């Protein structure tokens, strides 16, 4: 993209309604924009003139007037006008006049109409008067804003960049000149076909190979006594964690928390366009769980971490009361759980010394899916390097696992009743053993192996060498989809937990007519939904772990008919939120939260919607058995 067009799209991407457009739509739009300049005190258009463009103020300011000459509105940089005229009779209703020297981007009518058709958020914005929009901004909007706000809105400042052969002194000088806390490091690509290469502003091919921060300068240069002539290429990690400018602020927050980093390079395709700092998100969303996670990493002991249990519950209650949906609550609580785990591992390594071989601490179940609730236990395992020798190394890792497991229990994450924890030697194995575990589970499913599949097929790295877990995820995604017998067995295993029929007065009505006093919404609702989603995800080779992300992958295939995927999403979200809301009620009424609800505590609206959600689950389970029949045995 030409530099001029890149400047147009980057400026427009900072302001509504363009900030939520996809990068593809922004690229297309930037190529159609025309530019006009108006001196102060000149008319832009008069009442009754034909309107053929949407107007975007690049710089300057304008006044809009009523027909009688009264001031209607005053607009400045980033504002748009003319949209209502385009939607009506394409005649000027409110004349516009520049009150300063003003630069206008003109968006043609055809491009405007295309945006209205292609993006619902854009259409909603231009079709509703601004005062009405402002009146709808409430606590619920705050809760969901991070899911829809794109990273580029926060990382609008151009990054400071240096070549990999620059010295740390030169890098520090550049950081000082630009008041920056980091520099991105560039190098020439090894080949012209490098998939990470981009065309730099000097016309040469470059690729971003890393990032150097003020923290690196302190800890890896000054503290280690390195000379100022050290090149930045000697200090950087050549697998930098990045994010695309099109992704959400919420995803950026999670990525930074999961990897315990404070700087996140922002890319547009392969080109670096900014650096997001943790403080940028904190300033943007001051009521998030970020403060809690930051406090976790500041704790010097297990006792300090355990003392934060009440803070976690308070954060959970606050999120729910601010109308965060189940995805946000689950992601936030999972990030908090990961932070506890990482800090416990850091504290253990400080005491035990560095590990004798590389390892990865692996989360399983709801934490791996980013779907934790306030009621949860710990499911984890250790994947060790293949150089692991039990006689020499296992004492270290057993002690490490015990420190983490006991610490998590002290922090409110109860021990796993099934002993699926890294303290169990069966779940503390080198990579090649884990790979054989998964091959056996997939190739020859038995009742015990199916149980393990339901637990271990939701897996994610928490700390250490992530590549170990990535290889297990790849093995599952590639192998499971090619094993019809395994999928059929998993499908039948997913039918073991069925939903109730609904409610009758103060009882839960089962399909066999039995009446119960309570219902466990996890066991009878969210868990069977998660199970059936997992089967479909394995069948289509999805590498996603989160149930909602898996549904997105599933919906791209023909595994589900019609709108079944959306109905399953609705059912999962609704049941999860009812479960979460009742846990908040338990906490507020000073009861120990659980997954059970009593029919007398369920509102009429909840009853109706829960019954519908249970019906969706029931139908989805029936389809599961039909979709994955058991292959006939060959004779």
């Amino acid at each position: 993209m030409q530099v001029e067009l890149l400047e147009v799209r980057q400026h427009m991407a900072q302001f509504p309604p363009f900030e939520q457009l996809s990068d593809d739509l922004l690229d297309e739009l930037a190529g159609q924009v025309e530019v006009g300049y108006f001196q102060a005190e000149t008319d832009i258009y008069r009442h009754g003139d034909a309107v053929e463009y949407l107007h975007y103020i690049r710089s300057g300011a304008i006044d809009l007037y009523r027909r009688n000459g009264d001031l209607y509105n005053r607009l400045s940089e980033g504002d748009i006008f003319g949209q209502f005229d385009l939607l009506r009779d394409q005649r000027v209703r409110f004349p516009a006049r520049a009150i300063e020297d003003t630069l206008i981007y003109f968006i043609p009518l055809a491009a405007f109409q295309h945006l209205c058709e292609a993006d619902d958020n854009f259409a909603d914005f231009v079709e509703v008067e601004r005062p009405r929009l402002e009146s709808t901004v409430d606590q619920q909007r705050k809760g969901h804003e991070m899911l829809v706000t794109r990273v580029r809105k926060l990382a609008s400042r151009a990054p400071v960049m240096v070549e990999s052969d620059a010295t740390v002194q030169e890098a520090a000088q550049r950081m000082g000149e630009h008041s920056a806390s980091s520099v991105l490091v560039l190098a020439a690509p090894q080949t012209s076909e490098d998939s990470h290469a981009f065309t730099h502003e000097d016309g040469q091919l470059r690729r971003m190979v890393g990032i150097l921060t003020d923290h690196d300068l302190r800890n890896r240069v000054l503290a280690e006594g390195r000379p100022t002539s050290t090149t930045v290429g000697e200090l950087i990690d050549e697998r930098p964690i990045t994010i695309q400018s099109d992704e959400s602020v919420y995803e950026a927050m999670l990525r930074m928390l999961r990897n315990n980093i404070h700087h996140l390079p922002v890319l547009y395709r392969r080109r670096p366009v900014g650096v997001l700092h943790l403080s940028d998100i904190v300033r943007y969303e001051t009521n998030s769980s970020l403060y809690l996670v930051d406090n976790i990493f500041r704790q010097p002991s297990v006792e300090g971490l355990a003392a934060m249990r009440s803070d976690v519950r308070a954060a959970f209650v606050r999120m729910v009361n601010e109308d965060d949906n189940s995805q946000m609550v689950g992601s936030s609580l999972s990030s908090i759980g990961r932070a506890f785990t990482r800090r416990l591992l850091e504290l253990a390594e400080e005491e035990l010394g560095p590990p004798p071989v590389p390892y990865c601490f692996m989360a399983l179940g709801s934490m791996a899916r980013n779907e934790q609730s306030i009621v949860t236990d710990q499911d984890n395992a250790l994947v060790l390097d293949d150089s692991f020798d039990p006689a020499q190394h296992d004492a270290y890792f057993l002690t490490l696992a015990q420190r983490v497991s006991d610490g998590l229990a002290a922090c409110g994450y109860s021990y796993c009743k099934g002993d699926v924890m890294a303290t169990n030697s069966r779940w503390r194995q080198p990579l090649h053993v884990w790979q054989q575990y998964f091959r056996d589970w997939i190739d020859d499913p038995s009742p015990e192996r199916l149980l393990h599949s339901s637990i271990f097929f939701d897996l994610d790295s928490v700390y250490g060498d992530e590549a170990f877990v990535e290889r297990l995820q790849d093995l599952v995604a590639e192998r499971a989809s090619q094993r019809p017998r395994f999928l059929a067995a998993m499908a039948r295993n997913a039918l073991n937990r069925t939903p109730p029929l609904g409610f009758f007065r103060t009882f839960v009505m089962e399909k066999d007519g039995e009446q119960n006093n309570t219902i466990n919404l996890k066991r009878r609702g969210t868990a069977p939904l998660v199970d059936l989603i997992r089967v479909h995800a394995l069948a289509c080779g999805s590498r996603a772990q989160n149930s909602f992300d898996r549904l997105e992958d599933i919906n791209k295939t023909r595994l589900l008919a019609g709108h079944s995927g959306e109905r399953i999403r609705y059912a999962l979200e609704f049941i999860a939120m009812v479960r979460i809301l009742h846990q908040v009620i338990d906490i507020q009424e000073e009861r120990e939260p659980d997954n059970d609800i009593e029919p007398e505590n369920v509102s009429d609206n909840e009853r109706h919607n829960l019954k519908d959600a249970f019906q969706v689950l029931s139908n989805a389970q029936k389809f599961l058995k039909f979709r994955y029949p058991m292959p006939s045995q060959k004779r």
Side-chain angles (χ1 to χ4, degrees), residues 157-210:
R157 178 182 176 185
V160 181
M161 298 184 281
V162 299
E163 296 292 324
S164 60
D165 58 0
T167 67
V168 293
Q169 182 177 19
E170 292 169 339
Q173 289 171 343
R174 291 291 304 278
M175 290 165 67
E177 292 169 2
H178 295 272
S179 299
S181 58
S182 65
V183 290
L184 300 184
V185 182
L186 307 180
Q190 295 180 351
T191 68
S192 60
E193 302 301 320
D194 191 324
S195 60
H196 296 284
F198 68 95
T199 303
H200 195 34
E201 58 187 16
D202 60 6
Q204 300 298 313
L205 283 179
R206 291 287 187 277
R207 66 173 292 174
M208 194 196 76
V209 294

Side-chain angles (χ1 to χ4, degrees), residues 613-627:
F614 292 150
Q615 188 61 56
V616 170
L617 170 55
S618 179
N619 292 340
Q621 288 184 325
K622 292 175 183 176
F623 177 77
L624 197 68
K625 188 174 182 180
F626 165 79
R627 182 63 182 78

Side-chain angles (χ1 to χ4, degrees), residues 492-600:
R492 279 150 184 75
N493 203 52
L495 304 179
N496 290 335
R497 296 180 285 197
T498 58
L501 185 65
F503 298 93
F504 177 73
R505 294 181 181 151
T506 58
F507 298 100
V508 178
M509 181 66 68
E510 301 292 343
K511 294 180 180 180
D512 59 4
E514 184 180 347
Q515 297 177 1
N516 295 322
N517 295 323
T518 63
I519 177 175
N520 185 301
L521 283 181
K522 178 182 178 180
R523 189 180 307 121
R524 306 294 301 280
T526 57
L529 278 165
V530 166
D531 288 345
L532 70 88
I533 291 169
R534 183 189 301 111
V535 176
H536 291 308
L538 290 170
C540 71
S542 171
R543 284 171 168 76
Q545 302 299 311
N546 177 264
S547 295
F548 293 99
D549 292 340
R550 284 172 168 172
L551 276 171
E552 288 188 11
D553 288 344
I554 294 165
N555 287 337
K556 296 174 184 176
T557 71
R558 296 185 177 181
L559 286 174
L560 298 178
H563 300 287
S564 298
E566 285 306 306
R567 286 193 287 269
I568 292 172
R569 176 185 292 275
Y570 163 80
L572 178 58
E573 173 63 29
F574 188 81
I575 296 173
M577 277 311 304
V578 173
R579 174 188 173 205
I580 288 169
L581 288 166
H582 282 262
Q583 289 172 348
V584 166
I585 293 172
D586 285 339
I587 292 173
Q588 291 175 330
E589 296 183 358
E590 298 183 353
R591 296 191 300 265
E592 190 62 24
D594 55 31
N595 295 308
D596 296 328
I597 62 169
E598 298 76 26
E600 60 265 28

Side-chain angles (χ1 to χ4, degrees), residues 32-322:
Q32 300 180 65
V33 165
E34 300 173 20
V35 182
Y37 173 75
F38 296 86
Q39 290 185 330
E41 305 304 323
T42 60
D43 291 330
I44 296 173
Y45 53 32
R46 297 181 175 87
H47 184 272
D49 286 351
V51 181
E52 300 176 349
Y53 301 92
L54 176 69
H55 299 69
Y56 173 92
I57 303 176
R58 173 61 175 82
S59 61
I62 65 107
D63 280 346
L64 296 178
Y65 295 92
R66 298 186 187 277
R67 186 184 305 184
N68 63 5
D70 292 341
L71 181 66
Y72 172 70
N73 205 353
R74 177 163 290 174
L75 307 175
S76 60
E77 181 181 3
D79 286 324
I80 60 172
F81 61 98
Q83 65 269 35
F84 306 122
D85 301 323
L86 290 174
L87 293 168
R88 291 163 59 90
D89 56 2
Q90 296 174 28
R91 293 288 174 180
V92 173
R93 181 183 176 191
F94 301 109
R97 185 176 180 82
I99 58 174
E100 298 176 0
D101 291 347
T102 301
L103 192 65
I104 299 286
Y105 290 163
F106 293 90
I107 299 170
L109 174 61
F112 171 78
Q113 292 172 334
H114 175 63
L115 289 176
C116 288
E117 293 171 358
D119 190 278
D120 289 340
N121 289 321
F122 183 92
D124 290 343
F125 187 96
V126 299
E127 290 173 4
V128 182
E129 290 276 3
R130 178 70 63 89
R132 289 183 58 193
L133 279 179
E134 292 176 347
S135 69
T136 64
V137 178
D138 53 18
Q139 292 300 313
Q140 184 174 0
R141 173 60 181 171
K142 289 180 181 177
H144 295 280
E145 194 172 43
M146 292 179 75
L147 281 177
V148 297
T149 302
R150 301 186 189 274
V151 167
R152 60 179 178 244
K153 179 179 176 66
L154 273 64
S156 57
R157 178 182 176 185
V160 181
M161 298 184 281
V162 299
E163 296 292 324
S164 60
D165 58 0
T167 67
V168 293
Q169 182 177 19
E170 292 169 339
Q173 289 171 343
R174 291 291 304 278
M175 290 165 67
E177 292 169 2
H178 295 272
S179 299
S181 58
S182 65
V183 290
L184 300 184
V185 182
L186 307 180
Q190 295 180 351
T191 68
S192 60
E193 302 301 320
D194 191 324
S195 60
H196 296 284
F198 68 95
T199 303
H200 195 34
E201 58 187 16
D202 60 6
Q204 300 298 313
L205 283 179
R206 291 287 187 277
R207 66 173 292 174
M208 194 196 76
V209 294
I211 182 172
L212 186 75
T213 69
D214 50 6
H215 181 271
D216 296 325
L217 292 175
R218 284 197 310 272
N219 292 358
R220 303 183 65 185
V221 179
L222 294 177
E224 295 180 5
R226 293 176 184 255
T228 57
S229 59
T230 303
T231 64
V232 295
E234 299 175 51
L235 301 174
I236 60 171
D237 178 0
E238 293 204 4
R239 292 184 61 187
I241 297 164
T242 64
I243 193 166
Q244 288 292 317
S245 63
D246 205 26
E247 295 192 66
S248 70
V249 171
Y250 196 70
E251 176 58 36
M253 177 191 77
L254 294 179
R255 198 163 299 180
M256 295 170 86
L257 294 180
R258 289 171 191 162
N259 295 284
N260 193 24
I261 57 175
H262 288 179
H263 296 80
L264 186 62
V266 180
L267 306 181
Y268 167 59
R269 302 290 195 267
R270 298 170 295 277
R271 178 194 300 274
V273 294
V275 177
L276 192 66
H277 192 274
L278 188 61
S279 61
D280 297 324
I281 300 179
V282 171
R283 283 193 296 270
Y284 175 73
E285 178 60 48
T286 58
N287 234 356
S288 73
S289 57
L290 285 173
Y291 290 118
L292 186 57
V293 170
D294 184 60
N295 198 16
I296 288 172
F297 284 110
R298 294 176 184 272
Q299 295 304 313
S301 66
V302 175
E303 291 75 19
L305 292 170
M308 296 184 65
R309 291 183 62 174
S310 60
D311 295 333
V312 176
R313 288 196 172 185
F316 169 67
V317 171
R318 184 173 63 248
M319 284 186 284
V320 176
N321 287 338
E322 291 176 352

